[in-house]
Amino acid sequence: MQTDIESGSYKPMVGLGLSPHRESDGSKPTPLANGTVVVPVNALNIIWGNDQRFWKLIRLSEEDRKSTGFTEGMQLVQVNWIEVTGKLPKSTFRGASACQFEIYYIVKFQSDAFGWHSIPIKFKVKDNGSETVKKVMFEPYRDKNQAWQEIPGGVFKISSDWNGVVEFGMLEVESNWWKGGIVLGGVKIKPKAG
């Protein structure tokens, strides 16, 4: 994996009056033939995502690209406030045969991952004003380091009118516990059976 610094494309954000928080660059999600929608990291909002002390945008290896379907990822160096959010219009799912979808965060724990044993990560899904929260301990996932994993982050439904948006997020903002050593490849939203 090559960081932006190593490739020469790094542009410091902090200290130039720019936000240390990374906002979606407007990248479009990609609908696949099987009804899955692929959301790259550039389409997500990441608190502290523009500060290389905390997160680094990296290019994924060819092997990782084949495993995940993503070309870039965000490497979490260390942070005690994790907040990754996204938002999609429901019209993105027009044409899918399913009416219920599940959100998966595509994550790889590095061998030196730390801080994931102390407190659960919250996954939020907000669907037309209704919000659900799911808590997941990451420690069992950390035990499978260096392998890409799909961590379930919640479910939402789509009615036949395709109106509205779905918002989703992965958060841990209540503790002062430092955590790091993961790579976020992106998000996949898959049709859910039943």
Side-chain angles (χ1 to χ4, degrees), residues 11-43:
K11 296 174 185 71
M13 299 296 202
V14 179
L16 296 177
L18 300 175
S19 173
H21 307 306
R22 183 179 185 85
E23 294 184 15
S24 167
D25 69 0
S27 294
K28 301 289 185 204
T30 305
L32 304 178
N34 64 2
T36 297
V37 173
V38 178
V39 183
V41 292
N42 287 325

Side-chain angles (χ1 to χ4, degrees), residues 3 9 35 51 54 70 83 101 111 137 149 157 165:
T3 68
S9 64
D51 190 325
F54 305 114
F70 296 107
E83 187 172 340
F101 293 84
S111 57
M137 289 299 293
Q149 301 175 68
K157 292 181 180 182
V165 298

